[in-house]
Amino acid sequence: MKFGSYLSYLMNSLEIIQTDEIEAVITNIFDSYLKNKMIFVIGNGGSAANASHFAQDLANGTKVSPDSAKRIKALSLTDNLPYISALGNDEGFESIFEQQLKTFASEGDVLIAISGSGNSPNIIKAVDWGNKNGLLTIGITGFDGGLLHKINKLSLHVPLKDMLTAESIHSIILHYIVIELKKKIEHDQRMYLPNEYNEKKK
């Protein structure tokens, strides 16, 4: 396939995304920011890389200034290799995310699970735990969405039978979400912290 053909394929694939799903994710992440709740992001392989990237973008890329007191609190559970390897060794790889949630998560927090297939056992186990313990579970999927698409409370689905392009589109959408969240947070801080915000912008 020539790159021009792939570019057309990519653009056509972007056009089938349900934009209302994207807006719902933005709304719910912003709500978690307002309520000072934690956001946890999980994934395997390329989706682990997207999870790590998205979490740091949420935490760092949406803050209004280095002195901002109110921020999105986001953490990727893919990043602590010693903890993950200990859990995998002691409890089994399917428990690496669930066990971290048992340590860090509280009712009302958000769990964002990124999975191309939607069937990874460690993802399903973590989302199942989140559902049972009062977390908002968001599934970001490809292919037919798998089991994750059926059990998550909120879906962002990319219906492609192509893991690489689905992961690329996930990354594009996640960057868009961060851009829109930063706008909403800037507006929120202008409304409620006008003096501090305006001083920082001078």
Side-chain angles (χ1 to χ4, degrees), residues 6 14 16 18 37 46 51 54-55 62 64 70 75-76 87 90 107-108 115-116 123 130 134 136 147 156 158 162 195:
Y6 182 74
L14 283 166
I16 65 176
Q18 298 295 315
K37 296 296 184 179
F54 187 43
T62 63
V64 173
K70 190 168 181 59
L75 184 68
S76 170
L87 291 170
D90 297 344
E107 184 176 355
S115 175
I123 296 290
L136 171 63
L147 182 56
L156 201 173
V158 177
D162 172 357
N195 293 330

Side-chain angles (χ1 to χ4, degrees), residues 35-185:
K35 294 177 179 176
N36 209 32
K37 296 296 184 179
M38 278 294 303
I39 298 171
F40 300 99
V41 195
I42 59 176
N44 295 292
S47 294
N50 275 340
S52 183
H53 191 163
F54 187 43
Q56 74 86 17
D57 275 350
L58 287 175
N60 186 55
T62 63
K63 68 180 186 291
V64 173
S65 79
D67 298 322
S68 297
K70 190 168 181 59
R71 306 170 181 224
I72 290 180
K73 296 181 177 181
L75 184 68
S76 170
L77 301 184
T78 67
D79 294 347
N80 190 334
L81 183 56
Y83 194 11
I84 290 170
S85 62
L87 291 170
N89 184 66
D90 297 344
E91 310 293 340
F93 189 72
E94 70 277 4
S95 297
I96 62 170
F97 299 132
E98 177 201 37
Q99 288 296 321
Q100 290 187 75
L101 291 170
K102 287 182 177 181
T103 299
F104 298 120
S106 300
E107 184 176 355
D109 288 341
V110 178
L111 173 62
I112 300 175
I114 308 173
S115 175
S117 71
N119 290 315
S120 300
N122 56 7
I123 296 290
I124 299 305
K125 195 165 186 178
V127 170
D128 184 57
W129 185 90
N131 287 336
K132 291 175 180 176
N133 287 275
L135 276 66
L136 171 63
T137 56
I138 300 174
I140 300 177
T141 53
F143 291 80
D144 65 358
L147 182 56
L148 176 58
H149 190 55
K150 297 175 182 177
I151 68 170
N152 57 215
K153 295 179 182 176
L154 189 65
S155 293
L156 201 173
H157 183 50
V158 177
L160 287 182
K161 296 180 179 180
D162 172 357
M163 184 69 78
L164 295 178
T165 305
E167 288 178 350
S168 295
I169 292 175
H170 286 166
S171 181
I172 291 169
I173 293 171
L174 296 176
H175 279 127
Y176 170 76
I177 287 171
V178 170
I179 290 168
E180 292 305 301
L181 282 167
K182 185 166 186 178
K183 291 178 185 176
K184 292 173 77 70
I185 290 170

Side-chain angles (χ1 to χ4, degrees), residues 23-42:
E23 295 305 319
V25 171
I26 293 170
T27 297
N28 280 278
I29 293 177
F30 185 67
D31 186 60
S32 75
Y33 153 82
L34 293 175
K35 294 177 179 176
N36 209 32
K37 296 296 184 179
M38 278 294 303
I39 298 171
F40 300 99
V41 195
I42 59 176

